[in-house]
Amino acid sequence: MPDHTELTPGRVCHWQAGPGSIIAEHAQALTRIDAIAEDILRIRVAPSGRLAPSHSWQDASRSLAGGRLSVEERLRVLHLETGAMRARLDLDTGALSLGSADGAVYASDLAPVRWRPVERHEIPTLAPALAPAVASTVASAAASTAAPAATPSVSPATAPTTSRQANSGGSTGLATTGLWLQKALDPREGLFGCGQRFGALNRRGQRLAHWTTDIHSPGLGVVDGCLYQSHPVLLALRPGLAWGLMLGSSGYSHFDLGAERPDALGLFSLGGELDYYLFAGPTPAAVVEQITRLTGRPALPPLWALGYHQSRWGYRSDAEIRTIANEFRSRRIPIDAIHLDIDYMDEFRVFSWDRERFPNPRATVKALHQQDIHAVTIIDPGVKRIGSSYPVLETGLRGDHFIRRPDGELFTGYVWPGASLFPDFCRTSTRRWWGDLHAGLLDAGVDGIWGDMNEPAIVDRPFEVPGATALAIPLDARQGDDAETCHAEAHNLYGTLMARATYEGLQRLRPQRRPWVLTRSASIGAQRWAVSWMGDNASSWEDLRTSLPQLASMGLSGSPHVGVDIGGFYGACDGELFARWIELGAFYPFMRAHAYYGSPPQEPWAFGEEVEAIARIAIERRYQFLPYLYTLAHRAHRTGEPILRPLLYDFPQATELHEIEDQLMVGPLLMIAPVCEPGVSERQVLLPPGAWYDFHTGSRIDGGALPARAADTGADANANAMHRRCLLPAPPGRMPILVRGGSCLTLGPRRQSTREPLTKLTLEAYPDERQGDSWTLIEDAGDGGGNAHDTQAETALAMTGGQAGPRLRIGPRQGGWQPHPRQLVLRLHLAQQPEQMLLDAVPQVDWRWDQADHAAVVTLDDDGGAHQLSAE
């Protein structure tokens, strides 16, 4: 019988400090604490006394310069200090307590780390087909780790030592090391993030496992919150403080977010060590910046990718693709991309075309380009295992690029093409081979790549054979350069590394253009290479509502470029649901409508003229907002700032907003309040602090606030804000959109695609006498490198209030990029018509008053110079 005695690190026998780190040798373990930066700590506890090594597939660019860590021992306690963080390591127990520079205590251990061997039946069941595979994650591996790593890595699990493996990937009766840690939670602390999940925005009270899963694969489902993506990262928020935590482990793990013990945050990791990062905050924005500083900033997408995308599993021929494109153009519905699902392939073989249905792929794509529409093709990881004459298979076998079973045989599973092999993306050479395979698609003119089925999703027999069930790659299958790891550690990273291989291939093959990659499965860090959507949803009001906290949580987890299938993938969408979904989808960072093979038509015109008109207006609005959205994409690329985010991100001090999930911010200037119920024509909106304007009317909204007092500050202001509710009209086609007072929105004209030049730039200015906000418009050519100063332009905008009245200040355009000749339309929203408008202190003769939008309008040529607009 295995020994289930729990062990803890025990007394520290010796410690030593190095540059930015300390290593403490316990009686039964080793602890290392690194100041990755002044505001990021990494903590590792290794029961074996040896830390896990870094791997070849871990991106070296994630290594930060490191912070300073001062260390002092007092009364058997090590006092650690960086510029932003304080920590105390108890030398008698190994327990760690954390605090901020100003003395706030957070993330403190309730007890030391503990560990013991874990039996198969004790491992939380992820899904019926995966349970035996997870159990095989094996064993004594926990003790067989390598020498200490000098640089940050993410590597918990180590190689299994058994060769007794069943077909499903597991042997029976094997144990592995489970490590537990509990940290104290403040009673007022909300827990947010954790990436792609169902359920409430605030995760407190839940238990969430981290294991990428195709929830619609036979025999699977949603268990312990597992979906297509794995993001073991969270943001904790309480009055006055936000902090973050991320597991460094890529193997199976879970968070207990107060489910077992309400006052405790529980961490569990299956593998050789407990490895986690702490982020100092102290605001939600700071935590997200710290997460993406460590894991990588989001890639900057090309401008066209922010336009509208149309997709369907079932566009089965060149003729159908051309018909869809013609319908969009003839109906004057804007579009920038059409996606080709698995229908375009020859017997579902990746990197092939069915030459009967698509006899000339280059002509198909050229026809789309002639209508200013981009082409995106799907690629799955499974490579059809057939006899001969399939170059992808042949070169893959020659290069030994496919995953093998522990006994050395090639692992074979079933996906769309039938029996298939699966690339080992942990290998450097395999990623390069996979990236280079895209040359044929690029030669045909394809613009973007859509990665699917990359959890990886596999079954044990052909789809057409009854009884198919999910099949796991053996978790002790060796992967990586020199077989440095096993699938137990690589599983959650499979989709991310596939996206990386694709992105780097596109970058190498077509360096003059920004790669654009879409992925279904992802983990922390995937934002560097891919946009993601939330997988196969349903045509239901529930799934429409779910998209709000789900996408907001993705942004808090470091992934700003996200979306869901508009209208739903499975089922039959009705007109009202599609109308509500498309008006919300216009503000998703990634906007795509997609549907299942055999479901009713789901194009914007499929529901009749009324819904088509609503869809047209919604998509046109998307294109109007592109100058603002594209600036948000640049900001995300620079700092990780989420595009679509919950109210708590911008208003962390307004505690009554922390639980709100049916209103979201789109960047810092815009708030949307979607309608997610049928038969609704108005909705109540809770107004955050400050002035707000109705975008549809241009008028200021006072809401139901108590009488404002100039002295309202702190708690009194929050108490007042709790009553600031208003009821807004919200018929289909008019989702409430609110603009923050003191801001200036940058909008463009209605266009059919991003290929049309921006001939007019509208600055919508919304005064707030109590405050003014600055905003910098960021522009470039929309593709290419996009990072150099001479390929971008920035224009600073600022609203000021006060006794002199509202003023819009426009700074001179900075940077080497020059826009297409265009007009500037300056619109200053006011309660009543002013007597005069002044541009650069000169009274204007040809200004006009827009009564419908409560705006004074001045038009001039955009000369790139500084200007000031004011009213008298």
Side-chain angles (χ1 to χ4, degrees):
M1 294 291 291
D3 183 1
H4 283 185
T5 302
E6 287 190 355
L7 300 176
T8 60
R11 182 183 180 90
V12 173
C13 306
H14 172 74
W15 66 270
Q16 63 181 26
S21 67
I22 67 130
I23 295 178
E25 298 176 11
H26 303 260
Q28 303 182 103
L30 180 143
T31 295
R32 176 164 178 158
I33 301 174
D34 289 275
I36 303 299
E38 295 293 307
D39 47 5
I40 304 173
L41 287 181
R42 184 187 187 191
I43 298 94
R44 285 178 285 178
V45 180
S48 68
R50 293 173 294 171
L51 298 171
S54 59
H55 292 306
S56 64
W57 36 267
Q58 290 165 339
D59 188 14
S61 68
R62 293 170 59 176
S63 299
L64 303 181
R68 295 176 301 165
L69 184 68
S70 64
V71 184
E72 181 182 357
E73 180 179 347
R74 298 197 302 268
L75 301 176
R76 292 291 297 165
V77 173
L78 279 188
H79 294 260
L80 315 176
E81 188 171 328
T82 72
M85 307 177 80
R86 306 289 183 267
R88 295 189 304 169
L89 180 66
D90 189 318
L91 295 178
D92 289 326
T93 67
L96 187 71
S97 63
L98 271 293
S100 64
D102 61 5
V105 178
Y106 62 93
S108 294
D109 296 353
L110 289 171
V113 177
R114 53 193 173 91
W115 64 87
R116 64 172 173 84
V118 176
E119 292 288 337
R120 179 186 64 175
H121 67 272
E122 296 180 277
I123 297 172
T125 303
L126 302 181
L130 287 182
V134 174
S136 75
T137 307
V138 297
S140 44
S144 59
T145 49
T151 56
S153 64
V154 182
S155 51
T158 49
T161 57
T162 179
S163 61
R164 297 185 294 116
Q165 296 298 320
N167 182 60
S168 64
S171 64
T172 59
L174 296 176
T176 189
T177 298
L179 298 98
W180 288 265
L181 178 64
Q182 286 188 319
K183 290 184 172 291
L185 288 176
D186 187 283
R188 303 165 297 168
E189 217 148 41
L191 299 175
F192 305 92
C194 298
Q196 183 195 21
R197 304 287 176 177
F198 294 147
L201 179 69
N202 188 348
R203 311 299 190 189
R204 190 154 181 172
Q206 300 183 44
R207 182 186 181 280
L208 299 175
H210 312 296
W211 193 255
T212 58
T213 305
D214 175 9
I215 60 173
H216 294 291
S217 195
L220 301 184
V222 181
V223 180
D224 286 341
C226 292
L227 296 174
Y228 303 99
Q229 304 196 16
S230 170
H231 295 83
V233 61
L234 61 87
L235 183 153
L237 178 62
R238 68 192 196 217
L241 178 66
W243 56 274
L245 183 147
M246 183 183 84
L247 286 178
S249 166
S250 60
Y252 173 81
S253 61
H254 72 246
F255 288 153
D256 185 304
L257 305 168
E260 177 184 340
R261 180 175 166 179
D263 65 343
L265 165 64
L267 312 179
F268 173 81
S269 181
L270 196 63
E273 70 182 44
L274 182 65
D275 179 5
Y276 65 98
Y277 297 82
L278 286 168
F279 305 99
T283 65
V287 172
V288 176
E289 188 281 326
Q290 290 151 8
I291 291 169
T292 57
R293 194 192 326 151
L294 176 69
T295 65
R297 302 298 194 200
L300 179 66
L303 178 61
W304 65 263
L306 294 181
Y308 177 71
H309 297 234
Q310 179 64 42
S311 181
R312 180 182 182 82
W313 177 17
Y315 294 155
R316 296 182 54 81
S317 68
D318 168 88
E320 286 187 69
I321 293 294
R322 292 176 188 244
T323 296
I324 292 297
N326 290 338
E327 287 287 346
F328 271 93
R329 290 296 177 236
S330 65
R331 294 172 183 271
R332 301 292 295 170
I333 300 174
I335 187 173
D336 255 273
I338 291 178
H339 290 220
L340 281 68
D341 209 316
I342 56 177
D343 314 275
Y344 80 92
M345 298 181 197
D346 177 16
E347 297 181 343
F348 306 127
R349 289 183 288 187
V350 291
F351 303 106
S352 73
W353 293 82
D354 185 310
R355 293 295 177 159
E356 291 187 7
R357 290 180 286 113
F358 292 88
N360 189 337
R362 190 174 297 178
T364 300
V365 176
K366 183 179 179 180
L368 292 179
H369 288 173
Q370 288 173 339
Q371 300 208 60
D372 293 336
I373 299 174
H374 296 79
V376 177
T377 50
I378 196 171
I379 291 290
D380 294 344
V383 175
K384 186 176 180 67
R385 190 173 188 176
I386 57 176
S388 60
S389 302
Y390 182 26
V392 177
L393 175 67
E394 293 166 2
T395 58
L397 290 172
R398 276 200 304 271
D400 195 23
H401 293 306
F402 299 114
I403 295 173
R404 293 181 178 273
R405 293 183 175 277
D407 61 7
E409 292 296 317
L410 289 167
F411 169 78
T412 301
Y414 290 84
V415 283
W416 297 114
S420 300
L421 304 178
F422 297 85
D424 178 3
F425 293 115
C426 290
R427 296 186 60 196
T428 305
S429 61
T430 300
R431 291 197 302 275
R432 186 174 184 93
W433 164 75
W434 185 262
D436 289 345
L437 289 173
H438 293 80
L441 293 172
L442 299 191
D443 184 61
V446 169
D447 302 283
I449 301 297
W450 162 20
D452 196 13
M453 302 287 285
N454 51 358
E455 291 69 36
I458 309 169
V459 293
D460 63 352
R461 68 198 71 185
F463 286 141
E464 62 271 17
V465 176
T469 188
L471 176 67
I473 294 174
L475 296 192
D476 54 351
R478 304 302 303 179
Q479 289 190 239
D481 297 340
D482 301 319
E484 62 191 309
T485 188
C486 60
H487 190 70
E489 187 176 16
H491 175 85
N492 282 333
L493 302 176
Y494 197 84
T496 295
L497 292 175
M498 177 180 168
R500 175 182 175 180
T502 304
Y503 183 96
E504 291 175 344
L506 300 186
Q507 193 174 49
R508 193 166 55 247
L509 294 167
R510 195 170 55 190
Q512 73 279 12
R513 293 177 59 184
R514 291 178 212 156
W516 190 78
V517 179
L518 175 66
T519 186
R520 185 170 79 177
S521 185
S523 55
I524 297 173
Q527 70 273 1
R528 288 170 285 171
W529 303 298
V531 174
S532 63
W533 94 106
M534 301 295 97
D536 299 340
N537 59 353
S539 297
S540 70
W541 290 96
E542 180 182 1
D543 280 59
L544 171 61
R545 287 190 297 272
T546 294
S547 74
L548 298 171
Q550 191 171 70
L551 298 184
S553 297
M554 287 291 292
L556 294 181
S557 303
S559 297
H561 295 289
V562 289
V564 306
D565 289 339
I566 294 170
F569 180 68
Y570 289 116
C573 189
D574 63 50
E576 183 184 8
L577 176 59
F578 187 84
R580 290 304 192 185
W581 215 322
I582 195 78
E583 66 183 10
L584 167 58
F587 294 94
Y588 289 159
F590 166 54
M591 184 186 187
R592 180 182 77 160
H594 184 48
Y596 182 73
Y597 181 77
S599 63
Q602 202 162 288
E603 289 74 31
W605 54 84
F607 305 96
E609 293 183 1
E610 182 178 352
V611 173
E612 179 182 346
I614 290 172
R616 181 182 296 106
I617 291 171
I619 300 172
E620 287 175 343
R621 181 166 294 133
R622 170 71 169 206
Y623 283 76
Q624 284 182 282
F625 274 94
L626 278 181
Y628 177 64
L629 294 172
Y630 194 52
T631 294
L632 292 177
H634 272 279
R635 287 164 64 109
H637 179 57
R638 294 177 183 184
T639 68
E641 177 185 351
I643 296 172
L644 193 67
R645 64 255 203 145
L647 302 186
L648 66 86
Y649 182 91
D650 292 276
F651 306 98
Q653 298 304 320
T655 55
E656 73 277 8
L657 302 178
H658 291 184
E659 304 291 326
I660 299 296
E661 56 187 39
D662 65 346
Q663 298 172 212
L664 297 179
M665 295 295 293
V666 184
L669 309 183
L670 206 65
M671 182 173 68
I672 58 173
V675 173
C676 300
E677 302 287 344
V680 173
S681 60
E682 59 185 11
R683 72 151 289 176
Q684 190 178 82
V685 177
L686 179 62
L687 298 178
W692 292 89
Y693 288 78
D694 186 333
F695 174 78
H696 298 292
T697 66
S699 59
R700 185 162 170 165
I701 302 172
D702 293 326
L706 296 175
R709 301 187 301 274
D712 275 344
T713 58
D716 289 338
N718 272 344
N720 194 36
M722 291 179 67
H723 300 277
R724 301 184 71 235
R725 297 181 181 272
C726 61
L727 193 64
L728 295 179
R734 187 173 165 168
M735 176 184 74
I737 305 170
L738 294 91
V739 187
R740 200 171 179 176
S743 62
C744 180
L745 276 180
T746 49
L747 305 180
R750 297 178 179 179
R751 293 180 286 169
Q752 289 297 296
S753 82
T754 57
R755 291 289 299 274
E756 294 182 22
L758 195 70
T759 56
K760 181 173 67 174
L761 181 67
T762 301
L763 307 184
E764 300 274 2
Y766 300 87
D768 183 353
E769 64 277 6
R770 292 170 294 183
Q771 66 178 32
D773 289 325
S774 60
W775 177 256
T776 299
L777 173 69
I778 306 173
E779 302 176 277
D780 60 26
D783 211 337
N787 288 316
H789 183 69
D790 61 355
T791 63
Q792 295 182 2
E794 297 189 8
T795 304
L797 308 169
M799 282 295 303
T800 58
Q803 294 182 347
R807 297 174 185 271
L808 170 62
R809 300 179 185 274
I810 307 169
R813 187 160 50 239
Q814 304 288 328
W817 182 78
Q818 293 296 318
H820 187 279
R822 66 192 182 192
Q823 284 188 316
L824 275 183
V825 180
L826 313 182
R827 295 169 54 85
L828 185 60
H829 292 269
L830 302 168
Q832 58 187 13
Q833 181 174 343
E835 295 183 3
Q836 182 58 274
M837 294 298 297
L838 287 77
L839 179 65
D840 301 330
V842 177
Q844 298 297 290
V845 176
D846 56 352
W847 72 279
R848 65 183 179 86
W849 175 249
D850 184 342
Q851 180 62 40
D853 286 341
H854 298 274
V857 184
V858 174
T859 303
L860 66 152
D861 291 333
D862 184 3
D863 58 7
H867 296 285
Q868 177 176 286
L869 181 70
S870 58
E872 288 187 346

